[in-house]
Amino acid sequence: MAAFLLLKSNISAPLQKKNYSKILLTNYCHNSVINLYQIKQTIMNANAKVLDSQQLLIHWQGHRNLTRRVIEAFPEKDLFEFSIGGMRPFSKLALELIAIGGPALKSIVEGTINKFDETFNPTTKDELLAKWDEETETINEYFSQITEERFQETFNLFGQYEFPVYQNILYFVDNEIHHRGQGYVYLRALGIEPPFFWERER
Amino acid sequence: MAAFLLLKSNISAPLQKKNYSKILLTNYCHNSVINLYQIKQTIMNANAKVLDSQQLLIHWQGHRNLTRRVIEAFPEKDLFEFSIGGMRPFSKLALELIAIGGPALKSIVEGTINKFDETFNPTTKDELLAKWDEETETINEYFSQITEERFQETFNLFGQYEFPVYQNILYFVDNEIHHRGQGYVYLRALGIEPPFFWERER
């Protein structure tokens, strides 16, 4: 009970944080003796800074370098046409990513709520890659303007995804990895060796 | 030049940080007037805390809930046998994830260098899911013992991946999203609707 009160007083309201206090409690309830010092230490660790803004930007741009390499690996025709199980061709998946990263960051920094816009519709790989590189610069420009407070503030992205900014940004990266993973299967099905997953340098 | 010195004095040695200072400089060199206040602000933002340990744990376990749902979505036989383009069946991809998360965290916390061990070889979906849930608890238990300093320290994971702890952990999550994305294509190719990517609750 003391443990529960301590957790309650240290962990604030949002649903997800409640889940975490459940996680912590579950761990400690396995022990017959509740060690308050250890619980306090765990809560201090729970609030520990994991990484900073520049590290996350480097991480994301590393993933974007790899995704660019996956776009390049597709033969021109297959990039726009090849598909499995009724899914979108890889060009469409890449265009979704282009429509998210730069525009979303600009929107977050400027505090303007813009609609999600997927109208850019290139017909060549070069055109797609040129836009990809343009967005690389946009992301660098706006990412570095996000202050520490902003990462924890909620933002109604594209007028429909109201989450803390850090969750929105993690979602951009995760969504990119998810779709790129699908691109790896397309490449394998086409008999093409995809780039190494751990290669992140431009 | 003043901008370069300021950047040099604020951003420390590692290669990746150097890349970031290049990113920053490139942005500012586009402008004819270098605004020192703005550069200082950007560097302060660059060191901004993005998220804390408990938020990353919740994020990861959310992804693990989704991966569990993808395992469940496979018919028993296809989980162990279906494949595209010579890739591993989804059971093997899930077993790779099982061999990483819990064992890696335990190793990081205890400071012991263990070899990567993929010998666990279940033959049923239930057996695989039971191990998955066991590792969920292991991850909760050890994650909360990582202190703030540790996230930035390097660790020679499995005796072969020497990176800062935060990068190792991001790699576990990214690798899971990557392989699960491949699982989505398998499911679509089998005519099965995968779970929603944004569904992260257990």
Side-chain angles (χ1 to χ4, degrees):
Chain A
M1 188 59 188
F4 183 68
L5 289 175
L6 186 60
L7 284 159
K8 283 284 277 189
S9 67
N10 278 275
I11 293 182
S12 54
L15 176 68
Q16 296 190 304
K17 298 219 172 185
K18 272 196 215 141
N19 286 345
Y20 186 77
S21 67
K22 244 192 283 168
I23 290 173
L24 292 180
L25 268 179
T26 310
N27 291 344
Y28 288 105
C29 290
H30 284 316
N31 303 322
S32 53
V33 178
I34 292 174
N35 180 336
L36 279 180
Y37 171 77
Q38 208 184 339
I39 290 177
K40 188 159 171 263
Q41 189 60 41
T42 300
I43 289 170
M44 281 172 61
N45 294 346
N47 294 323
K49 172 177 175 171
V50 172
L51 82 172
D52 66 30
S53 171
Q54 77 181 69
Q55 291 170 329
L56 182 57
L57 175 56
I58 290 165
H59 181 74
W60 186 10
Q61 292 289 20
H63 273 300
R64 294 187 74 261
N65 290 340
L66 176 57
T67 306
R68 191 186 197 285
R69 216 174 286 127
V70 171
I71 298 170
E72 281 180 307
F74 274 87
E76 184 99 18
K77 191 176 173 342
D78 294 319
L79 178 63
F80 290 93
E81 293 176 12
F82 185 79
S83 135
I84 292 176
M87 294 175 78
R88 289 170 286 175
F90 196 65
S91 60
K92 285 283 178 211
L93 300 177
L95 285 169
E96 179 188 304
L97 306 176
I98 284 176
I100 294 175
L105 280 189
K106 190 167 183 290
S107 189
I108 288 167
V109 167
E110 295 179 345
T112 49
I113 294 174
N114 301 317
K115 274 197 156 179
F116 182 61
D117 176 7
E118 251 184 327
T119 50
F120 174 62
N121 191 23
T123 53
T124 66
K125 196 200 281 193
D126 282 348
E127 213 185 330
L128 198 158
L129 288 172
K131 181 73 172 168
W132 187 266
D133 295 338
E134 203 183 300
E135 294 308 306
T136 301
E137 297 309 314
T138 307
I139 289 168
N140 287 340
E141 184 183 342
Y142 287 97
F143 200 100
S144 53
Q145 295 180 51
I146 307 174
T147 58
E148 183 152 316
E149 306 74 57
R150 284 305 305 282
F151 282 110
Q152 297 295 323
E153 283 170 23
T154 60
F155 182 72
N156 191 13
L157 188 69
F158 301 127
Q160 44 179 333
Y161 306 105
E162 186 133 27
F163 295 105
V165 167
Y166 84 88
Q167 284 186 18
N168 269 322
I169 294 173
L170 290 181
Y171 195 93
F172 308 157
V173 183
D174 296 349
N175 186 53
E176 174 161 349
I177 301 167
H178 174 69
H179 285 320
R180 191 183 56 215
Q182 300 171 342
Y184 271 61
V185 186
Y186 289 8
L187 287 175
R188 288 279 182 202
L190 288 164
I192 297 165
E193 176 99 19
F196 293 123
F197 180 65
W198 55 87
E199 251 180 28
R200 303 290 167 83
E201 295 293 317
R202 179 74 183 266
Chain B
M1 188 59 189
F4 183 68
L5 290 175
L6 186 61
L7 285 160
K8 284 283 277 191
S9 66
N10 279 275
I11 293 183
S12 55
L15 177 67
Q16 295 190 307
K17 297 217 174 185
K18 273 196 214 142
N19 285 345
Y20 185 76
S21 68
K22 246 193 281 170
I23 290 173
L24 291 182
L25 268 179
T26 310
N27 290 343
Y28 287 104
C29 290
H30 285 315
N31 302 322
S32 53
V33 178
I34 292 174
N35 180 337
L36 280 179
Y37 171 77
Q38 209 185 338
I39 291 177
K40 188 160 171 261
Q41 188 60 42
T42 300
I43 290 170
M44 281 173 62
N45 294 346
N47 294 323
K49 172 176 173 171
V50 172
L51 83 171
D52 66 31
S53 172
Q54 78 181 70
Q55 290 170 331
L56 182 57
L57 175 55
I58 290 165
H59 181 73
W60 187 10
Q61 293 289 21
H63 273 299
R64 294 186 74 264
N65 291 339
L66 176 57
T67 306
R68 191 187 197 284
R69 216 173 287 128
V70 171
I71 299 169
E72 281 180 308
F74 274 87
E76 184 98 19
K77 190 175 174 338
D78 294 318
L79 178 63
F80 291 91
E81 294 177 12
F82 184 79
S83 135
I84 293 176
M87 295 175 76
R88 290 170 286 175
F90 196 66
S91 60
K92 284 285 178 211
L93 300 177
L95 285 168
E96 179 188 304
L97 305 176
I98 284 175
I100 294 175
L105 280 188
K106 190 168 182 293
S107 190
I108 288 167
V109 167
E110 295 178 345
T112 50
I113 294 174
N114 301 316
K115 274 198 156 176
F116 182 61
D117 176 6
E118 253 185 325
T119 51
F120 174 62
N121 190 23
T123 53
T124 66
K125 194 200 283 190
D126 281 349
E127 214 185 330
L128 198 158
L129 287 172
K131 182 72 172 166
W132 187 267
D133 294 338
E134 205 182 298
E135 293 308 306
T136 301
E137 297 308 314
T138 307
I139 289 169
N140 287 339
E141 184 183 342
Y142 286 97
F143 200 101
S144 52
Q145 294 179 54
I146 306 173
T147 59
E148 182 152 317
E149 307 75 58
R150 285 305 305 283
F151 283 110
Q152 296 295 322
E153 284 169 25
T154 60
F155 183 73
N156 191 12
L157 189 69
F158 301 128
Q160 46 179 333
Y161 307 104
E162 185 134 28
F163 296 105
V165 166
Y166 84 86
Q167 284 184 18
N168 269 322
I169 294 174
L170 290 181
Y171 195 93
F172 309 156
V173 183
D174 296 348
N175 185 52
E176 174 161 348
I177 300 168
H178 174 69
H179 286 320
R180 191 184 55 215
Q182 301 170 343
Y184 271 62
V185 186
Y186 290 7
L187 286 176
R188 288 279 182 200
L190 289 164
I192 297 164
E193 176 98 18
F196 293 124
F197 180 65
W198 55 88
E199 250 179 29
R200 305 290 167 82
E201 296 291 319
R202 179 73 183 265

